[in-house]
Amino acid sequence: MSDSAPTVAGSTGSSTGTVPDDALVVGVDYGTLSGRAVVVQVSDGTELGSATCEYRHAVLDRELPSGTMLPPEWALQVPADYVEVLKTAVPEAIRTAGVDPARVVGIATDFTACTVLPTDEDGTPLCELEEHQDDPHAYVKLWRHHAAGSQAARINDLAERRGESWLPRYGGAISSEWEFAKALQLLEEAPEIYAEMRYLVEAADWIVWQLCGEYVRNACTTGYKGIYQDGHYPSEEFLAALNPQFATFPQDKLDRPIKQLGEAAGTLTAQAAGWTGLPEGIAVAVGNVDAHVTAPAAQAVEAGQMVAIMGTSTCHVMNSDSLGEVPGMCGVVEGGIVPGLYGYEAGQSGVGDIFGWFVKHGVPPEYHQQAQERGISVHELLTELSGRQGIGEHGLVALDWHSGNRSVLVDHELSGMVVGQTLATRAEDTYRALLEATAFGTRTIVEAFQKSGVPVTEFVVAGGLLKNTLLMQIYADVTNLPLSTIVSEQGPALGSAIHAAVAAGAYPDIHAASAAMGRADKGVYQPIPENVQAYDALFAEYTALHDYFGRGANDVMHRLKAIRRERAGRSAQGEDGAGPVVPDPEPAAASDQAAPV
Amino acid sequence: MSDSAPTVAGSTGSSTGTVPDDALVVGVDYGTLSGRAVVVQVSDGTELGSATCEYRHAVLDRELPSGTMLPPEWALQVPADYVEVLKTAVPEAIRTAGVDPARVVGIATDFTACTVLPTDEDGTPLCELEEHQDDPHAYVKLWRHHAAGSQAARINDLAERRGESWLPRYGGAISSEWEFAKALQLLEEAPEIYAEMRYLVEAADWIVWQLCGEYVRNACTTGYKGIYQDGHYPSEEFLAALNPQFATFPQDKLDRPIKQLGEAAGTLTAQAAGWTGLPEGIAVAVGNVDAHVTAPAAQAVEAGQMVAIMGTSTCHVMNSDSLGEVPGMCGVVEGGIVPGLYGYEAGQSGVGDIFGWFVKHGVPPEYHQQAQERGISVHELLTELSGRQGIGEHGLVALDWHSGNRSVLVDHELSGMVVGQTLATRAEDTYRALLEATAFGTRTIVEAFQKSGVPVTEFVVAGGLLKNTLLMQIYADVTNLPLSTIVSEQGPALGSAIHAAVAAGAYPDIHAASAAMGRADKGVYQPIPENVQAYDALFAEYTALHDYFGRGANDVMHRLKAIRRERAGRSAQGEDGAGPVVPDPEPAAASDQAAPV
């Protein structure tokens, strides 16, 4: 039961060999606000029980537990909350499953990313040391910590000027959310913490370290968030040009063995067995990311199967045989989703968030009342009403950039737009236009892949939004792709469980485990030729506006945000005579994490 | 007491000579849905009493009283409803004023325009003849009858090709609402009615005909709506090229004496004295239009004073010493507002309509509830909330084209747009952006005048929207003009009363009568230099978007409307499989009539 000698499963997909037929695995999905454990049958992926544990400290975005105030755009977490999930949700999931924990042969985890923390040599988070409890930089920087923007800008500018070969692997720009931007911020704002930390660890790897006592980096976050390409990190010269103290950051703070997804990082320690109630010595898989780990749960790990985890935002992951440099993608990493294939990632910063915003802030009372009387949600009512329309009948086109644009423009200073409103425009019209705008955004991403020689042949949806059948048909019609949907309602946790089964040797690889344990309703939405044609006309309009507002012809969105920031700043300082202003915080930018709406 | 011998009033503005000091006049304002009579003191314009009469048939836009169905975009009225106003509202106004009707020395009227009807030789409307009760073309075509679009397009195309000298007097295009378009529709769709009618009469002149028994055309509608420029109508060659039967339309159906505003058309007949209870033989002024007649009521009849009648839509009227050809204006007519000056007209198709639409269809329940609890309107609540913001703090720019654009683009196929939305955008943000968008639209009109050598020096507001003090300050800041407001709440009726006083000889001209009887709060809103500067930046953004969407760079709005019509047509015919569609009528386009919101 180690990663060195996997036991090959039979071609039927049932487990054989050293792994018993009735073996179980546990998958744990670490989200932004809670962790969820699920107990799964190795033989067929049946989910037997699950449990959730909310993080006691949730997200620290105003102050530390000690009361120390945080600057704007900070978002921290407390690592002990992650361990609490192991102590409570895992045993509770076993209990609800009503199974003997001795049957569990492996455990795997997935995490938000890039979520990083500074630790000492043995993995103790610096924030757990008495002397650092008041140091914000000693805590976990959550994926949506957005205070490293200036560092990311410097990294991108320099990389572009120097023509760094890794830059196109990230669509032309790395995000301020990622490891090097956060590390540079840490170095420059808290050099003493930077000096003291032995490692800057992805939470995805840190939790595995807690389980098996081994610090192993995983190929997924190391590639997507850690700028590790073709066997190395950014060069010493490059890093030195950013900041001389940063020159040896990878050697000093990152360097550890990197293992492929599906491999075992080690085995469960006695201590972690005590926390979880699982048998000591079972396989612990290497870490993973919530979006990427979902692909095998949706039986979508072959080349050309694009998986969209659609929730508040959308994350797209897809394998391909070939390496292409797709403008505006988040990244391409060899083995980033499954070993042996190139894993691609792209994303839309706002999707369900935009629908939720509209329902909350743009729908008049009658709709709320009618929905309540009928016992349905306002989303359901608007979907029903807008589903009666012919394509284009509302006369609207919208841009889905209320949270900025991740792919393919990589520009968080963009904003939303809607054109075509008349006095006859109703809430269901705008709602449908917003649904369609996100579908057009997805098609833009799909076309960027196609044009870069990375074919997309199927669209597979996971995440909460797949319940909206109108939305699904719109996506099939707009992309002109057959659309499949995941069956599991806890895709990431099931995906982790699949990785646990591979790490435990129950299957030879993720492909085989996915085939046996994953489940998707294949091609349940087929593009309707007449609709495809009707949407082609609207997509042409979307694209013209996309390029006009997004590619520099008219930078009005940038200028409006600049004016807004300047104005809000002056109002906050009381310089305006117009009276007090209610603070109007920027919404959280999108994440790899896709919470259902 | 005839128009041939006006009695000059003293320089104090009080009435003298043959008109007694305590003389009264009656003004009657014919709107889209009702007529309002007001009794006014000649000496100082004091309003002593008023009364309103709603038209029994309102607007016929679905069927005739007989049940005959009307095509889409038709809008008719019943002329007897206008007479009913004379019979009920005038005596009621006298009654509420508590005055002796014998003191009344004159009556004047204003009307929506272009509102026309076919009559026989003695003015009997053809629709009142038994044999024509089922003929839609025998009725009054209301200003917002929009079924003559193709005729207007042919007139404009031909006039442009032939370089007709009158075309630039209408900003480069005449409207489908105007006399020649409606007449051509009548000729081509109902040649027998066209042949039978002796006159096609502006309702503004028809009601005067009913009062004094004389059919006199007024210089205002004849110029603005009847293409009468420099002493003649469009040429026979031009009209013949449109349709040979149309060649002699002016001689055949229009030709009558044209009198200047403020002149008497005649004196009150015994029959009309019987209807109104007013003395037989008093002066009856020539007809006028509701917007134009408001200028003297607001003491704004000098060159450079732009009067904006701001309600559901906005109509701008202004005098100038010089003749300029302003692109996109509605028209310039010598003596169109007062004799001796060039009267200019421009307009915005949607203003209060847009605010009303947003409040009804885009504001969530909490606001409605809060407004109700506080006993204020949702408009007032949103104004209060958005008034706390600094300029540009909402991060939005909108285009105010929900009802199309009258000036300066003259394009009803345009639509609304808003850019800059984020998940933090709230209802008050969009509301303020819409207020500002209409102010930017006004500034675009003001600048078109300035650039054409027609200076605008003061902005004078009449109409219901002047009650919104935030809106007024925004207009002053955006236009960088001092802003005055009319005092009377029934500007058009008071304006008519002023014309009645002039026609009765109480004043030498409209200027003198306006000075004595009109009232405005002068310069109550002054531009605030800091705000002017802040709005300059946003207006630059508005202008870039205005030109991009409105001047052909991206005709997306046209294409979306075309798709929408095509789709709605197919849905209505049941060709779409997507289920029934609730009819979604185009909103009424704007009119000269500005009802307060």
Side-chain angles (χ1 to χ4, degrees):
Chain A
M1 219 165 284
S2 86
D3 62 315
S4 55
T7 304
V8 177
S11 63
T12 61
S14 64
S15 58
T16 58
T18 63
V19 175
D21 278 351
D22 69 344
L24 305 175
V25 280
V26 171
V28 186
D29 167 43
Y30 282 93
T32 297
L33 294 171
S34 64
R36 169 183 295 266
V38 60
V39 179
V40 175
Q41 277 181 191
V42 166
S43 59
D44 61 2
T46 302
E47 297 163 22
L48 300 177
S50 70
T52 298
C53 168
E54 313 237 319
Y55 306 149
R56 189 152 72 88
H57 299 90
V59 177
L60 309 177
D61 48 14
R62 309 185 123 257
E63 57 184 8
L64 295 182
S66 64
T68 301
M69 294 303 291
L70 295 173
E73 309 198 278
W74 278 61
L76 306 179
Q77 289 197 318
V78 174
D81 291 348
Y82 307 147
V83 175
E84 197 64 21
V85 173
L86 300 177
K87 293 179 180 169
T88 60
V90 173
E92 176 67 14
I94 293 287
R95 216 169 9 255
T96 63
V99 295
D100 178 357
R103 286 167 56 195
V104 176
V105 298
I107 182 169
T109 53
D110 64 86
F111 229 101
T112 64
C114 166
T115 295
V116 289
L117 65 159
T119 73
D120 67 9
E121 178 71 35
D122 67 3
T124 303
L126 296 194
C127 64
E128 293 185 0
L129 305 179
E130 183 71 30
E131 66 268 31
H132 290 308
Q133 287 184 4
D134 280 342
D135 287 330
H137 277 292
Y139 284 77
V140 179
K141 289 192 171 68
L142 185 62
W143 64 270
R144 69 170 162 83
H145 173 86
H146 285 136
S150 67
Q151 286 81 8
R154 282 161 53 204
I155 292 170
N156 288 325
D157 287 351
L158 184 65
E160 200 175 330
R161 274 209 309 281
R162 292 173 46 106
E164 295 290 331
S165 63
W166 47 263
L167 192 63
R169 301 286 174 87
Y170 301 99
I174 72 143
S175 164
S176 71
E177 294 179 0
W178 296 353
E179 200 165 69
F180 278 67
K182 281 172 168 156
L184 188 55
Q185 188 202 7
L186 178 54
L187 168 65
E188 297 182 341
E189 296 181 8
E192 70 298 346
I193 304 268
Y194 184 87
E196 183 178 340
M197 78 175 173
R198 173 62 190 87
Y199 295 115
L200 185 66
V201 190
E202 273 282 352
D205 297 326
W206 184 82
I207 198 70
V208 170
W209 190 352
Q210 304 315 300
L211 286 165
C212 70
E214 299 277 343
Y215 176 17
V216 173
R217 302 204 81 190
N218 73 82
C220 178
T221 56
T222 308
Y224 289 110
K225 314 300 175 188
I227 321 189
Y228 186 83
Q229 291 284 350
D230 303 329
H232 34 80
Y233 294 103
S235 69
E236 225 175 289
E237 298 78 42
F238 172 78
L239 297 173
L242 281 173
N243 184 323
Q245 312 297 317
F246 205 49
T248 53
F249 166 62
Q251 299 94 297
D252 295 348
K253 312 292 184 185
L254 297 179
D255 200 27
R256 290 292 298 183
I258 298 167
K259 285 200 176 180
Q260 296 300 309
L261 301 183
E263 288 192 81
T267 57
L268 200 66
T269 61
Q271 182 184 43
W275 293 338
T276 57
L278 301 180
E280 186 182 346
I282 62 169
V284 177
V286 300
N288 209 328
V289 175
D290 48 9
H292 304 66
V293 81
T294 302
Q299 281 188 332
V301 287
E302 304 309 321
Q305 294 183 301
M306 179 175 275
V307 182
I309 298 92
M310 294 178 60
T312 53
S313 63
T314 290
C315 188
H316 308 82
V317 293
M318 185 178 75
N319 286 306
S320 179
D321 300 314
S322 58
L323 176 64
E325 291 178 346
V326 184
M329 68 175 164
C330 301
V332 52
V333 170
E334 194 176 348
I337 303 170
V338 294
L341 289 169
Y342 292 98
Y344 290 83
E345 182 187 343
Q348 290 175 265
S349 316
V351 180
D353 261 355
I354 300 176
F355 312 151
W357 164 80
F358 180 72
V359 163
K360 182 136 193 260
H361 298 291
V363 178
E366 309 87 84
Y367 293 76
H368 290 266
Q369 196 180 335
Q370 196 186 332
Q372 195 176 15
E373 283 166 11
R374 293 180 50 195
I376 61 178
S377 72
V378 176
H379 282 285
E380 287 168 317
L381 176 62
L382 290 172
T383 298
E384 179 185 312
L385 292 170
S386 66
R388 294 180 189 159
Q389 304 181 349
I391 293 164
E393 198 174 315
H394 52 46
L396 304 172
V397 170
L399 291 175
D400 52 320
W401 302 343
H402 299 65
S403 276
N405 178 296
R406 197 186 303 165
S407 302
V408 299
L409 297 171
V410 199
D411 186 346
H412 280 83
E413 293 294 291
L414 297 176
S415 52
M417 194 237 37
V418 60
V419 62
Q421 293 171 314
T422 72
L423 301 185
T425 302
R426 297 291 174 268
E428 57 267 36
D429 300 327
T430 306
Y431 188 76
R432 183 171 175 133
L434 292 172
L435 298 185
E436 291 168 343
T438 67
F440 294 145
T442 286
R443 177 165 164 181
T444 303
I445 291 167
V446 168
E447 290 196 348
F449 277 91
Q450 312 268 34
K451 284 179 195 152
S452 302
V454 183
V456 181
T457 55
E458 183 187 350
F459 197 77
V460 185
V461 178
L465 289 178
L466 66 78
K467 291 189 189 117
N468 187 318
T469 59
L470 173 67
L471 185 69
M472 293 300 102
Q473 186 61 50
I474 289 172
Y475 270 62
D477 291 337
V478 166
T479 60
N480 197 17
L481 287 171
L483 191 149
S484 308
T485 51
I486 194 172
V487 172
S488 172
E489 291 191 357
Q490 33 212 11
L494 174 59
S496 283
I498 290 171
H499 281 77
V502 177
Y507 295 96
D509 57 26
I510 296 171
H511 298 272
S514 167
M517 300 173 66
R519 276 272 286 294
D521 291 326
K522 302 295 282 183
V524 279
Y525 300 92
Q526 293 292 330
I528 298 167
E530 187 194 343
N531 294 356
V532 171
Q533 203 186 345
Y535 274 129
D536 277 347
L538 292 178
F539 181 66
E541 302 299 350
Y542 175 90
T543 300
L545 295 166
H546 175 281
D547 292 351
Y548 175 73
F549 286 109
R551 297 195 192 274
N554 185 345
D555 276 335
V556 56
M557 292 173 177
H558 285 205
R559 289 188 295 269
L560 288 176
K561 283 215 172 176
I563 290 171
R564 177 163 183 262
R565 262 192 291 268
E566 196 258 341
R567 263 294 155 177
R570 293 174 61 191
S571 294
Q573 289 164 38
E575 288 176 26
D576 271 335
V581 175
V582 181
D584 199 353
E586 272 294 326
S591 90
D592 288 331
Q593 152 105 6
V597 286
Chain B
M1 222 165 289
S2 85
D3 61 317
S4 56
T7 303
V8 177
S11 62
T12 62
S14 64
S15 58
T16 58
T18 64
V19 174
D21 277 351
D22 68 346
L24 305 175
V25 279
V26 171
V28 187
D29 167 44
Y30 282 93
T32 297
L33 295 171
S34 65
R36 166 185 297 266
V38 62
V39 179
V40 174
Q41 277 181 191
V42 166
S43 58
D44 61 1
T46 302
E47 297 162 23
L48 300 176
S50 69
T52 298
C53 168
E54 312 238 320
Y55 305 150
R56 187 151 74 86
H57 299 90
V59 178
L60 309 177
D61 49 12
R62 312 185 122 257
E63 57 184 9
L64 295 181
S66 64
T68 301
M69 294 301 292
L70 295 172
E73 310 198 278
W74 278 60
L76 306 179
Q77 288 196 319
V78 174
D81 292 347
Y82 307 148
V83 175
E84 197 63 23
V85 174
L86 300 178
K87 294 179 178 168
T88 60
V90 174
E92 176 67 16
I94 293 287
R95 216 167 11 253
T96 61
V99 296
D100 177 359
R103 287 168 55 195
V104 175
V105 298
I107 181 170
T109 52
D110 63 86
F111 229 101
T112 65
C114 164
T115 295
V116 290
L117 65 159
T119 74
D120 67 10
E121 179 71 34
D122 68 2
T124 304
L126 298 194
C127 63
E128 293 184 0
L129 304 180
E130 182 72 30
E131 65 269 30
H132 290 309
Q133 288 184 4
D134 281 341
D135 287 329
H137 276 293
Y139 284 76
V140 180
K141 287 191 173 68
L142 184 61
W143 64 270
R144 68 170 162 82
H145 172 88
H146 285 136
S150 69
Q151 285 82 8
R154 283 162 52 205
I155 291 170
N156 288 326
D157 286 352
L158 184 65
E160 197 175 333
R161 275 209 307 282
R162 291 172 47 104
E164 294 291 333
S165 63
W166 47 262
L167 193 62
R169 300 287 174 89
Y170 302 98
I174 71 141
S175 164
S176 71
E177 293 179 2
W178 296 354
E179 201 165 69
F180 278 67
K182 280 171 169 156
L184 189 54
Q185 188 202 7
L186 178 54
L187 168 66
E188 297 182 341
E189 294 180 10
E192 71 296 346
I193 305 267
Y194 183 87
E196 185 177 337
M197 77 175 176
R198 174 63 191 89
Y199 294 114
L200 185 66
V201 190
E202 273 282 354
D205 296 327
W206 185 82
I207 198 68
V208 170
W209 192 352
Q210 304 314 300
L211 286 166
C212 70
E214 299 278 344
Y215 176 18
V216 172
R217 304 204 78 192
N218 73 82
C220 177
T221 57
T222 308
Y224 289 110
K225 315 299 175 189
I227 321 189
Y228 186 83
Q229 290 285 351
D230 302 328
H232 33 81
Y233 294 103
S235 70
E236 228 175 286
E237 298 80 39
F238 173 79
L239 296 172
L242 281 174
N243 184 322
Q245 312 297 316
F246 204 51
T248 54
F249 165 64
Q251 299 95 297
D252 295 348
K253 312 292 184 185
L254 296 180
D255 200 28
R256 290 291 298 183
I258 299 168
K259 285 202 176 176
Q260 296 301 307
L261 300 183
E263 288 192 81
T267 56
L268 199 68
T269 63
Q271 183 184 44
W275 293 338
T276 57
L278 301 180
E280 185 182 346
I282 62 168
V284 176
V286 300
N288 209 328
V289 176
D290 47 10
H292 304 66
V293 81
T294 302
Q299 281 188 331
V301 288
E302 304 310 320
Q305 293 184 300
M306 178 173 277
V307 181
I309 299 92
M310 294 179 59
T312 54
S313 63
T314 290
C315 188
H316 308 81
V317 294
M318 186 178 75
N319 286 306
S320 179
D321 300 313
S322 59
L323 176 63
E325 292 179 347
V326 184
M329 69 176 163
C330 302
V332 54
V333 170
E334 193 176 349
I337 303 170
V338 295
L341 289 170
Y342 292 97
Y344 290 83
E345 182 188 344
Q348 290 176 265
S349 315
V351 180
D353 261 356
I354 300 176
F355 312 151
W357 162 80
F358 179 72
V359 162
K360 181 135 193 261
H361 298 291
V363 178
E366 309 88 80
Y367 293 75
H368 291 266
Q369 197 181 332
Q370 196 187 333
Q372 195 174 15
E373 284 166 10
R374 293 180 48 195
I376 60 178
S377 72
V378 176
H379 282 286
E380 287 168 317
L381 176 62
L382 290 172
T383 298
E384 178 185 313
L385 292 171
S386 67
R388 294 179 189 161
Q389 303 181 351
I391 293 163
E393 198 175 316
H394 52 45
L396 304 172
V397 170
L399 291 174
D400 51 321
W401 302 343
H402 299 66
S403 276
N405 178 296
R406 198 186 301 163
S407 301
V408 299
L409 297 171
V410 198
D411 186 345
H412 279 84
E413 294 294 291
L414 296 176
S415 52
M417 194 235 39
V418 59
V419 62
Q421 294 169 314
T422 72
L423 300 185
T425 302
R426 297 292 174 267
E428 58 268 34
D429 300 326
T430 306
Y431 188 76
R432 181 169 179 136
L434 292 172
L435 299 185
E436 291 169 343
T438 67
F440 295 144
T442 286
R443 175 164 166 181
T444 303
I445 291 167
V446 168
E447 291 197 348
F449 277 89
Q450 313 268 37
K451 283 179 196 153
S452 302
V454 183
V456 182
T457 55
E458 182 187 351
F459 197 77
V460 185
V461 178
L465 289 179
L466 67 77
K467 292 188 189 117
N468 187 318
T469 58
L470 174 66
L471 184 68
M472 293 301 101
Q473 186 60 51
I474 289 172
Y475 270 62
D477 291 336
V478 166
T479 60
N480 197 18
L481 287 171
L483 191 149
S484 308
T485 52
I486 194 172
V487 171
S488 173
E489 291 191 358
Q490 31 210 15
L494 174 59
S496 283
I498 289 171
H499 281 76
V502 176
Y507 296 96
D509 57 25
I510 297 172
H511 298 271
S514 167
M517 299 173 69
R519 276 269 289 293
D521 290 324
K522 303 294 282 183
V524 278
Y525 300 91
Q526 292 292 330
I528 298 167
E530 186 194 344
N531 294 356
V532 171
Q533 200 186 347
Y535 273 129
D536 276 347
L538 292 178
F539 180 67
E541 302 297 350
Y542 175 90
T543 300
L545 295 165
H546 175 282
D547 291 351
Y548 176 72
F549 286 108
R551 296 197 193 272
N554 184 347
D555 275 337
V556 55
M557 293 174 178
H558 286 205
R559 290 189 296 270
L560 289 175
K561 283 217 173 175
I563 290 170
R564 178 164 182 261
R565 263 191 291 266
E566 196 256 343
R567 263 294 155 175
R570 294 173 62 191
S571 294
Q573 288 165 39
E575 287 177 29
D576 271 335
V581 175
V582 180
D584 200 352
E586 271 295 325
S591 87
D592 288 332
Q593 152 106 9
V597 287

